[in-house]
Amino acid sequence: MDLRAGRFDGQMTDDAAAFSSSIEFDKRIFEADINCNRAHTTMLIEEGIIPKGSGEKILKTLDKLEKEGLSALNLDPSFEDIHMALEDYVTKEIGPEAGFMHTAKSRNDQVCTDIRLTLKNEIENTIINIKSFINTIVEMAKENTHTLFIAYTHLQHAQPTTFGHHLMAYANELRRDCERLIDTYKRVDMSPLGSAALTTTGFPINRDRTAELLGFSQVMDNSIDGVSSRDFAAEAIFDYAMLSTTLGKISDEIVIWSSYEFRMVECSNQYSSTSSIMPQKKNPDIAELSRGKSTIAYGELMTVLAMIKGIPHSYNRDLQEVTPHLWNAIDNTNDILGIVHGMLSTLTINKERTEELAGANFATATELADVIVREKELPFRTAHRIVGRIVSDAIEEGVTTNDIDNEYVNKVAIEVTGEPLDLGEELVNQALDPLKNVKSRTVKGGCAPEAVEESIKNMEKFLKE
């Protein structure tokens, strides 16, 4: 089929045809294109716009193509896109009656519809996979509500927590990634079909019917917007870029935690490699690759934003180039999602090491300051100054947390305020004990086992929604 024959003499050059063809990445929308044509043809029959017999032949041929699959199409680049390849297939099967299929329809609204249909399925699948990962994290958190862990700020020891508490941070980040996709889905779930080239058509089509047949929740209100908008694609890529950010952070921490200096976790051999020259090495290669690949969606987002900026309404061929970047962002992020899911679920936690770190390097100092405020009713800044001096003196004197007692606290308090605090040995020991420190943080969202368990219940409720 030569679409140019009616308007032009001669053919495009081979390189121009290949340059303008979207056949290769249109393979992604093959099934959507069949469904789009099926719904449109069904509506045309119902509305009496085309002969019923011709319409039924078209539908029967579309069913046949669906069974035969993509390989049944002629995917020569001389066809600009999959829509023409599909119409060529139907024409070869039933002759000129195939032309009724394109009544009151343009490739402009057809491709927009196909992309939206395909993207809806992609988002649904990604949401399922995110929830599966969250469920794995929740199960891991349940087993580690009492596993002491060290929390960092600026990658420096901050305060003791539990591994379960840290895992639930991942779960909540992933939940927001999931919710972003759920929200974006609403703006993808709109039918542009019937917009035709840009001003709809003089045929009395029923756009609500095609939207219903295709499973769209609503019809787009403006036909120019229907064929020219790609903001839904950019928004989806942003969502995948943010999901990549979450996955990249998880990967980065696995790289750090598994190093000899930290020794907090060990990666499964399934997600590790060795050196070509250093036989002792166990490298977290998969975590590093996940961290690196997590940036790809950012590039795709910037590319698409640049493409859709500053082009006039309505359809422009530039828009054809959006979809390869959309699919690449989705595929890349989905790959990372699966890999990081498997990698995190197979980590081995070095509980002795994490407990050691939770109590080291004065990580419990904040609780000592809080005790001073509660017991002695001093302003927090005064308590902060006293404890800061305790830590400074202890480091200078080579004293560890275990060596700090009531007498030591009194000595420093006198230096700072002129008065001893007399907290007593029990209060000082409780404040500096990492496990008791953790158990005291029962505030909603805190690291105490009961607070983490509440967080887990909330997440399980979300997973069931």
Side-chain angles (χ1 to χ4, degrees), residues 115 221 335 343 420:
I115 293 168
D221 280 340
D335 287 346
M343 184 168 52

Side-chain angles (χ1 to χ4, degrees), residues 157-203:
H157 279 212
Q159 293 178 323
T161 183
T162 67
F163 189 50
H165 186 234
H166 197 98
L167 286 169
M168 288 308 296
Y170 293 163
N172 278 277
E173 287 173 316
L174 287 165
R175 173 178 176 168
R176 291 193 299 277
D177 291 323
C178 193
E179 289 171 336
R180 268 186 285 271
L181 285 165
I182 291 169
D183 195 54
T184 295
Y185 187 92
K186 300 172 189 174
R187 285 172 287 284
V188 178
D189 190 23
M190 305 167 73
S191 176
L193 191 59
S195 298
L198 76 161
T199 61
T200 71
T201 174
F203 290 99

Side-chain angles (χ1 to χ4, degrees), residues 36-37 39-45 47-51 54-55 58 87 96-107 109-110 193-197 200-206 210:
C36 181
N37 279 293
H40 186 72
T41 302
T42 299
M43 180 274 296
L44 292 175
I45 295 170
E47 298 298 321
I49 296 172
I50 65 172
S54 299
I58 292 169
E87 191 170 337
E97 288 176 288
F100 282 119
M101 181 172 64
H102 205 62
T103 305
K105 174 165 65 65
S106 167
R107 288 183 297 172
D109 62 337
Q110 188 171 339
L193 191 59
S195 298
T200 71
T201 174
F203 290 99
I205 62 173
N206 186 339
T210 51

Side-chain angles (χ1 to χ4, degrees), residues 20 46 58 86 101 111 132 154 157 164 236 260 300-301 334 361 464:
S20 64
E46 291 176 351
I58 292 169
L86 187 149
M101 181 172 64
V111 69
S132 175
H154 311 282
H157 279 212
Y260 181 80
E300 302 296 24
L301 177 60
N334 282 337
N361 202 21
K464 291 176 182 177

Side-chain angles (χ1 to χ4, degrees), residues 55 72 85 115 212 217-218 231 239 271-273 275 307 355 358 367 376 416:
I115 293 168
E212 177 189 9
S217 64
Q218 59 181 303
D231 56 304
D239 294 345
Y271 297 94
S272 305
S273 70
S275 165
M307 283 178 175
E355 183 175 341
E367 179 62 17
K376 299 301 177 179
V416 174

